[in-house]
């Protein structure tokens, strides 16, 4: 009887371990789809396809894309970076992960990616990813998953490919190839308001896009950014909408269209409302 009991316990332990491993594999492979209920996805991106994200994911995606362009990387690199962050973290700046993995790309301090504090900085993490990708010979001709794997060395080398389509949609929108393509509905109290918000947005535009000379707060509740062309204007406009939640952005206007936080959509406005070469944003005033 004792032998049977031991055998039953051992069998139960084995089954439990198999179940745990199975759950881990499913979460690793499909975790993004399991983690994110549709009700939390307040941003919609439409650019020859459609992607739904929440505000945090949207802001992180916009920063990843902007850093790629600031580094002079081609659009393909942005697609690879977004697909990698999709798979590794669900486009979230995670405080932990497998072993000592951290951040958007689950980079590991023990593997020389930087300090924990550095890796948790989305801009630092994106810069390190692009720098590593650039060193991969022939990455431009590889499948998205193969290029990502050369950088990440994942136990699931094929996992990145399932995010290629979503990442291409995000890339087209965030790089200004589509008009009014990023639309978010913003609710609740913003983290920042007034002058604090415009200062944070100005700093963000400087760090993400390198716009130190052209992005300046016009007053306490508005921001004006010069755009060299229509594509550049939509890059900045979509970036502002992507970062609207924390910074209390209530309106963004460019190219005869205006996005409002309450409505969450881009609508046609009088063409004289803003100069054609400028993106204008308004933030929530101080209470």
């Amino acid at each position: 009887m004792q032998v049977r009991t031991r055998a039953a316990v051992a069998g139960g332990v084995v089954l439990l371990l198999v179940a745990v491993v199975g759950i881990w594999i499913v979460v690793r492979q499909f975790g993004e789809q399991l983690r994110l209920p549709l009700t939390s996805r307040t941003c919609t991106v439409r650019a020859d396809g459609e992607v739904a994200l929440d505000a945090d994911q949207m802001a992180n995606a916009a920063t990843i894309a902007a850093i790629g362009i600031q580094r002079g990387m081609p659009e393909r690199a942005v697609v690879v970076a977004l697909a990698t962050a999709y798979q590794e973290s669900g486009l979230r700046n995670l405080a932990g992960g497998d072993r000592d993995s951290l951040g958007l790309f689950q980079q590991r301090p023990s593997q020389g990616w930087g300090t924990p504090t550095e890796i948790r900085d989305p801009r630092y993490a994106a810069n390190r990813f692009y720098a590593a990708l650039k060193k991969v010979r022939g990455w431009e001709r590889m499948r998205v998953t193969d290029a990502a794997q050369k950088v990440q060395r994942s136990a699931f080398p094929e996992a990145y490919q399932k995010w290629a389509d979503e990442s291409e949609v995000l890339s087209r929108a965030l790089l200004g190839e589509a008009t009014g393509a990023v639309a978010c509905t913003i609710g609740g109290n913003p983290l920042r308001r007034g002058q604090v918000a415009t200062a944070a947005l100005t700093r963000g535009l400087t760090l993400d896009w390198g716009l130190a000379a052209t992005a300046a707060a016009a007053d306490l509740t508005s921001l004006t950014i010069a755009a060299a062309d229509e594509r550049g204007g939509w890059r900045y406009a979509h970036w502002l909408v992507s970062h609207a939640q924390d910074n209390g952005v209530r309106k963004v206007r460019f190219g005869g269209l205006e996005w409002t936080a309450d409505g969450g959509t881009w609508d046609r406005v009088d063409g004289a409302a803003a100069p054609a070469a400028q993106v204008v944003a308004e933030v929530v005033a101080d209470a």
Side-chain angles (χ1 to χ4, degrees), residues 41-287:
R41 301 184 180 186
T42 56
C43 297
T44 302
V45 182
R46 294 186 177 94
D48 295 330
E50 184 173 317
V51 174
L53 301 175
D54 67 24
D56 287 339
Q57 291 176 302
M58 195 69 248
N60 289 327
T63 288
I64 290 170
I67 293 296
I69 296 306
Q70 187 183 166
R71 292 184 63 92
M73 300 294 283
E75 182 176 343
R76 181 70 171 176
V78 175
V79 173
V80 174
L82 288 170
T84 302
Y86 246 129
Q87 171 59 24
E88 296 291 352
S89 68
L91 288 171
R92 299 190 186 284
N93 191 15
L94 299 180
D98 180 40
R99 288 170 284 189
D100 60 337
S101 299
L102 297 163
L104 288 169
F105 297 92
Q106 289 292 277
Q107 295 156 330
R108 298 179 60 193
S110 63
Q111 299 298 311
W113 286 98
T115 67
T117 299
E118 288 173 333
I119 292 171
R120 288 294 309 285
D121 178 348
R123 297 174 179 104
Y124 174 91
N127 267 301
R128 286 301 307 270
F129 179 86
Y130 286 120
L133 180 64
K134 192 173 183 178
K135 293 178 182 178
V136 176
R137 181 174 297 181
W139 69 266
E140 303 93 334
R141 298 181 296 278
M142 297 178 184
R143 291 187 306 154
V144 167
T145 198
D146 295 332
Q149 174 65 2
K150 288 290 185 181
V151 176
Q152 299 296 106
R153 307 291 182 181
S154 170
F156 302 95
E158 290 293 321
Y160 305 103
Q161 192 63 35
K162 66 176 175 284
W163 303 113
D165 291 345
E166 287 88 343
S167 298
E168 287 175 359
V169 171
L170 286 173
S171 179
R172 283 192 291 268
L174 293 170
L175 300 188
E177 295 178 12
T179 298
V182 177
C184 300
T185 301
I186 307 302
N189 294 320
L191 183 64
R192 289 175 282 272
R193 293 168 171 259
Q195 189 174 18
V196 174
T198 56
L201 289 167
T202 299
R203 182 173 182 272
L205 286 161
T206 298
L207 294 173
D208 282 10
W209 293 104
L211 297 180
T214 56
D219 55 44
L220 298 182
T221 60
S222 67
L223 189 74
T224 300
I225 306 126
D229 52 30
E230 184 176 3
R231 186 178 185 184
W234 283 113
R235 286 178 178 178
Y236 306 146
H238 290 155
W239 185 95
L240 286 162
V241 174
S242 299
H243 288 272
Q245 178 70 63
D246 284 348
N247 296 294
V249 180
R250 56 187 294 269
K251 290 182 180 180
V252 178
R253 192 178 307 122
F254 180 71
L257 295 176
E258 182 179 78
W259 167 85
T260 59
D262 292 338
T265 59
W266 288 90
D267 298 303
R268 182 68 55 184
V269 294
D270 182 359
Q278 290 185 341
V279 181
V280 178
E282 296 179 13
V283 303
V284 177
D286 288 322

Side-chain angles (χ1 to χ4, degrees), residues 9-53:
V9 170
V13 170
V14 170
L15 289 173
L16 178 61
L17 289 174
V18 169
V20 169
V21 171
I23 291 170
W24 181 79
I25 291 173
V26 169
V27 170
R28 180 68 176 176
Q29 288 282 45
F30 306 105
E32 160 66 10
Q33 293 163 322
L34 296 174
R35 268 200 304 271
L36 302 170
L38 288 174
T39 54
S40 71
R41 301 184 180 186
T42 56
C43 297
T44 302
V45 182
R46 294 186 177 94
D48 295 330
E50 184 173 317
V51 174
L53 301 175

